[in-house]
């Protein structure tokens, strides 16, 4: 062993034997063999945009009493929102459980096209809700 100082970059014979040099193997970045191709992606099924058939409309007129609560069945019949497209709620019926008749002429508006919905049926609520 020598008593002379060594630089930081020089290794003593004992240190060279104690610390083996590590070698990093290069990673294989090539594509996998062609005999195992990934499965083809299947396209997502298209959403059915065909509206349901229109419901039967009432043959007579529905008369509402003024200042009365009703449960009302309605349907949107808007075939053209103004841009050539039908309303997404076209021919879709909905029940509004509490509709106030106002002066006997309730108006229900479609939230998708902002047009009046057609009233199919109305049932007077019994008992009438009490508003405080």
């Amino acid at each position: 062993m020598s008593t002379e100082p060594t630089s930081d970059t020089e290794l003593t014979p004992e240190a060279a034997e104690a610390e083996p040099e590590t070698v990093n193997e290069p990673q294989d970045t090539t594509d996998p063999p062609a005999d195992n191709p990934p499965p083809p992606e299947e396209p997502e099924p298209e959403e059915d945009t065909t509206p349901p058939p229109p419901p039967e409309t009432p043959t007579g007129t529905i008369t509402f009493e003024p200042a009365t609560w009703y449960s009302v069945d309605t349907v949107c019949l808007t075939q053209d929102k103004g841009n050539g497209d039908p309303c997404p709620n076209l021919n879709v019926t909905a029940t509004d459980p509490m509709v106030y008749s106002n002066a006997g002429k309730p108006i229900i508006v479609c939230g998708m096209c902002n047009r009046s919905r057609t009233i199919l049926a109305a049932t007077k609520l019994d008992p009438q809700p009490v508003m405080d």
Side-chain angles (χ1 to χ4, degrees):
M1 209 189 240
S2 111
T3 57
E4 294 178 20
T6 59
S7 70
D8 290 340
T9 58
E10 287 184 23
L11 290 177
T12 61
E14 296 84 18
E17 292 175 12
E19 294 180 25
E21 196 174 314
T22 57
V23 177
N24 291 333
E25 294 290 325
Q27 296 292 327
D28 184 17
T29 57
T30 59
D31 291 333
D35 61 342
N36 251 350
E41 292 184 24
E42 294 182 22
E44 293 185 25
E46 292 185 21
E47 186 176 322
D48 185 17
T49 57
T50 307
E56 290 186 32
T57 55
T59 54
T61 59
I62 299 172
T63 305
F64 292 91
E65 296 176 24
T68 307
W69 290 94
Y70 290 85
S71 173
V72 179
D73 295 333
T74 61
V75 65
C76 182
L77 298 175
T78 304
Q79 294 186 6
D80 183 1
K81 296 188 310 183
N83 59 358
D85 292 330
C87 177
N89 287 336
L90 177 63
N91 298 334
V92 176
T93 59
T95 300
D96 296 308
M98 288 184 65
V99 174
Y100 191 67
S101 68
N102 294 319
K105 297 183 182 183
I107 298 172
I108 315 279
V109 177
C110 176
M112 297 299 286
C113 67
N114 294 326
R115 304 243 171 107
S116 293
R117 293 179 63 92
T118 301
I119 297 174
L120 301 173
T123 305
K124 183 177 177 180
L125 297 182
D126 186 23
Q128 286 286 297
V130 177
M131 304 307 280
D132 292 326

